[in-house]
Amino acid sequence: MGINNRNYNTSDPTVEYAKPQRATIQVGDRALNMAKVYGYLFLALLFTGGIAFGVGYLFSLWMAHDIAIEATGYRGGMIAILMVSAVGLLILSFVVHGVAFRNKHSVLPYYIAYVLLMGTLLSTFTMFIDWRILGVAFGITSLVIGLDAVIALFAKSNFNWVAMMGLSLLLGAGLVFLFSWLMILLFPGVFGPILYIIDFVVFVAIVLLTLVDIVRITKIAEQGEMTNNLALYCSFIIYTDFIYIFIRIVYYIAIFSNRR
């Protein structure tokens, strides 16, 4: 069972973190490897932001042009592009993990394609959401990831108990969501609040699993020189976690701002 197609058990392609090859921690190796991972993450986020703003700007020009001539073609075109991007992201998430697991080819081209599609999908944020909300959400997400990184530096275990807690929360939220449909007939008024609670529980679970990801990646980094492919894969894992947390925080801030 996993999140973002990642397993939280010994079948993961990065299971070597659980079997250290050295009795002592090589601080230099860890620093160099994590610098490589976070370097790739920084570039991925930088390009994602650039693509999101660029595509959002092009969408805005397209929309303004069609509105000026009283046409509505931009709506169908934008929806089609966003839907293709979403499906492409789902497919690529499986492809990246599959390529990393087999370790015969580089994950770089698939990672780049994923970033391109993610930037396209997030272009709607740059079009319709206040840049201040995006900035605050990005800052909060960066703090969450940074705090996880600090915790990972001092972690003495692989945080398996945190993984179990996160997966349990996801399972519980899924079960409540399934049964909540029955409550539509019995208690229609409480369905909305239940969905908010489920959404927040899922968010907490993902934050916990992100901490587990970073702890385990840090453990991998302590085992010696990390190949570029493994560094890219580890970066991809943190990247997907970062984007999910960022999207949820944007959502929560937007709701709070609208209620003020």
Side-chain angles (χ1 to χ4, degrees), residues 10-205:
T10 55
S11 63
D12 191 279
T14 58
V15 293
E16 290 305 315
Y17 74 84
K19 301 175 181 179
Q21 301 300 315
R22 305 184 187 187
T24 59
I25 296 175
Q26 301 298 318
V27 178
D29 287 339
R30 182 177 66 185
L32 181 61
N33 290 334
M34 293 309 296
K36 188 184 300 184
V37 170
Y38 287 119
Y40 288 138
L41 174 63
F42 172 78
L43 291 175
L45 293 174
L46 181 65
F47 283 115
T48 301
I51 294 166
F53 279 100
V55 174
Y57 178 72
L58 293 177
F59 278 162
S60 298
L61 292 179
W62 185 8
M63 183 170 60
H65 174 268
D66 280 15
I67 291 176
I69 62 175
E70 299 183 352
T72 59
Y74 71 92
R75 296 177 182 174
M78 287 174 57
I79 291 174
I81 292 173
L82 295 175
M83 288 183 63
V84 170
S85 297
V87 173
L89 287 171
L90 179 62
I91 295 173
L92 282 171
S93 64
F94 285 97
V95 172
V96 169
H97 293 291
V99 171
F101 185 84
R102 293 178 178 83
N103 199 27
K104 294 182 178 179
H105 304 284
S106 174
V107 302
L108 180 59
Y110 308 103
Y111 194 173
I112 292 175
Y114 193 95
V115 168
L116 289 171
L117 292 180
M118 182 61 73
T120 301
L121 195 63
L122 294 180
S123 63
T124 53
F125 281 35
T126 63
M127 292 178 62
F128 304 115
I129 298 178
D130 192 306
W131 65 268
R132 290 170 295 183
I133 293 178
L134 298 178
V136 171
F138 184 86
I140 294 174
T141 307
S142 299
L143 286 175
V144 171
I145 298 298
L147 180 60
D148 288 348
V150 172
I151 294 174
L153 290 177
F154 300 98
K156 301 300 182 182
S157 68
N158 294 322
F159 276 35
N160 291 327
W161 63 275
V162 177
M164 290 301 299
M165 185 184 299
L167 292 174
S168 297
L169 286 174
L170 283 179
L171 178 61
L175 291 175
V176 171
F177 178 76
L178 291 176
F179 285 108
S180 65
W181 289 101
L182 298 176
M183 299 187 68
I184 296 178
L185 300 177
L186 301 176
F187 309 101
V190 303
F191 185 66
I194 287 178
L195 287 182
Y196 281 116
I197 294 173
I198 292 174
D199 181 86
F200 185 72
V201 169
V202 171
F203 172 73
V204 171

Side-chain angles (χ1 to χ4, degrees), residues 236-257:
F236 177 80
I237 290 175
I238 302 177
Y239 172 81
T240 54
D241 290 334
F242 188 105
I243 293 297
Y244 175 84
I245 294 173
F246 170 74
I247 291 173
R248 301 318 301 166
I249 292 178
V250 168
Y251 171 71
Y252 295 139
I253 295 177
I255 290 178
F256 177 78
S257 300

Side-chain angles (χ1 to χ4, degrees), residues 192-246:
I194 287 178
L195 287 182
Y196 281 116
I197 294 173
I198 292 174
D199 181 86
F200 185 72
V201 169
V202 171
F203 172 73
V204 171
I206 297 300
V207 170
L208 291 176
L209 293 175
T210 299
L211 172 59
V212 175
D213 284 338
I214 295 177
V215 168
R216 293 182 172 181
I217 288 170
T218 303
K219 295 299 181 184
I220 296 171
E222 294 173 354
Q223 297 178 24
E225 184 178 358
M226 182 181 287
T227 65
N228 284 331
N229 216 35
L230 181 56
L232 284 166
Y233 177 65
C234 292
S235 168
F236 177 80
I237 290 175
I238 302 177
Y239 172 81
T240 54
D241 290 334
F242 188 105
I243 293 297
Y244 175 84
I245 294 173
F246 170 74

